[in-house]
Amino acid sequence: MTDIVKVAVVTGGASGIGAEICRYLAKSGSDIAIWDLNEAAMASMAAEITAMGRRATTCVVDISNQESIAAGIAKTHEDLGLVTIMVNSAGIHATGPIMEIDEATWDKVMAVNLKGAFLVTKAVVPDMEAAGWGRIIYISSSSAQTGSPDMCHYVASKGGVIALTKALAVELGPKGITVNNVPPGMVVTPMLRNLEGNGGIPGGVEAMASRLPVRKAGQPENMAAAVAFLASEEAGYITGHTLSVNGGRYFN
Ligand SMILES: NC(=O)c1ccc[n+]([C@@H]2O[C@H](COP(=O)([O-])OP(=O)(O)OC[C@H]3O[C@@H](n4cnc5c(N)ncnc54)[C@H](O)[C@@H]3O)[C@@H](O)[C@H]2O)c1
């Protein structure tokens, strides 16, 4: 591993869990390409990473759009070189009972959360094959492990990500590439607070979290530490795994 340059693409790196993953990966020696839609937040994250002594670039990428991804990978290559780590944290949440979810909303959630994971992976696999080393980590959701009412499109999209992990672990393992996912439970981020604000968390985040075995909500750093471990050389014998980091909400 000593001669592998660690360049990480972090989708959704402008906010919440993805932003913390950028910090953790930079701290463990990676240069970071942030792919997100939020230009201003990406710029401030890039400044943070540069201040930590790592290289950073930002790419306005819609992960559900292949052309947008093509432009992102081209800019990443130009600014940082070949990609050896990819973390897909970008995602959208949606709620509603099945009878109120229309086809367009179903398609949108699938396009970002599941097709996006597929498209971003396709963009980086050739680099990892060339290096003979790679780490792919998806942020899925514990709702896909337990089932969760009134969000079947979201849950199905994240279940697809867990299945994608297994399929690609088998396919890419012989090339030196590991593929894993981390399903958050309840992590305090703008997405979670937004859901809470829309009444999607009965009693609120803190009340619901107080019923978890660890009695508190998760923080982005809990997720980022797990991701940094899976991205490390030491985790090279772990693949196809779903690493639950959820305060005990679900385990098997
Ligand atoms: N926060 C939680 O409790 C929780 C629970 C389960 C799963 N998750 C998952 O964790 C991941 C990160 O969530 P978060 O809580 O940090 O949310 P967040 O909303 O704080 O951050 C998500 C980021 O993704 C970006 N994004 C959205 N759509 C995009 C697209 N099409 N292309 C590129 N970027 C896009 C947003 O601009 C934003 O910066 C998501 O995949 C989410 O589904 C979060």
Side-chain angles (χ1 to χ4, degrees):
M1 171 65 193
T2 43
D3 53 347
I4 302 284
V5 180
K6 294 204 279 179
V7 173
V9 163
V10 182
T11 76
S15 175
I17 294 168
E20 201 58 30
I21 289 168
C22 289
R23 296 185 186 102
Y24 269 64
L25 290 180
K27 210 164 41 178
S28 48
S30 294
D31 296 327
I32 311 286
I34 309 159
W35 292 11
D36 203 295
L37 298 169
N38 185 334
E39 252 182 303
M42 276 197 288
S44 100
M45 179 52 55
E48 258 193 65
I49 292 161
T50 311
M52 292 167 77
R54 304 304 322 176
R55 297 182 302 152
T57 191
T58 62
C59 306
V60 179
V61 170
D62 173 357
I63 65 161
S64 67
N65 181 298
Q66 179 132 37
E67 278 169 27
S68 178
I69 289 174
I73 194 75
K75 182 167 189 280
T76 301
H77 285 161
E78 204 175 304
D79 294 346
L80 301 181
L82 296 185
V83 175
T84 46
I85 297 168
M86 190 281 285
V87 184
N88 187 51
S89 186
I92 53 173
H93 196 271
T95 54
I98 182 168
M99 296 312 294
E100 288 173 21
I101 297 171
D102 59 23
E103 192 178 349
T105 308
W106 173 275
D107 287 348
K108 171 80 181 162
V109 171
M110 288 292 162
V112 176
N113 291 356
L114 183 53
K115 186 176 81 170
F118 159 70
L119 291 177
V120 172
T121 304
K122 271 189 85 175
V124 299
V125 162
D127 290 6
M128 297 179 184
E129 283 178 341
W133 192 97
R135 297 281 186 267
I136 293 169
I137 300 147
Y138 303 116
I139 305 303
S140 53
S141 171
S142 61
S143 64
Q145 297 171 296
T146 58
S148 205
D150 299 333
M151 50 170 97
C152 68
H153 41 1
Y154 179 78
V155 172
S157 72
K158 294 296 189 174
V161 169
I162 293 174
L164 184 69
T165 302
K166 297 178 191 178
L168 291 179
V170 178
E171 184 172 330
L172 300 177
K175 299 174 174 183
I177 302 168
T178 66
V179 188
N180 294 290
N181 76 88
V182 179
M186 195 186 284
V187 181
V188 179
T189 67
M191 180 187 279
L192 188 73
R193 288 297 183 204
N194 195 32
L195 180 63
E196 180 182 44
N198 295 333
I201 303 183
V205 168
E206 277 68 29
M208 191 174 269
S210 73
R211 295 193 287 275
L212 291 171
V214 303
R215 301 283 189 268
K216 59 185 179 188
Q219 298 299 325
E221 47 269 37
N222 301 132
M223 312 309 301
V227 168
F229 168 64
L230 289 171
S232 72
E233 182 61 21
E234 291 79 359
Y237 209 59
I238 301 172
T239 196
H241 190 64
T242 299
L243 178 55
S244 300
V245 183
N246 58 24
R249 175 172 185 236
Y250 171 85
F251 36 74
N252 63 357

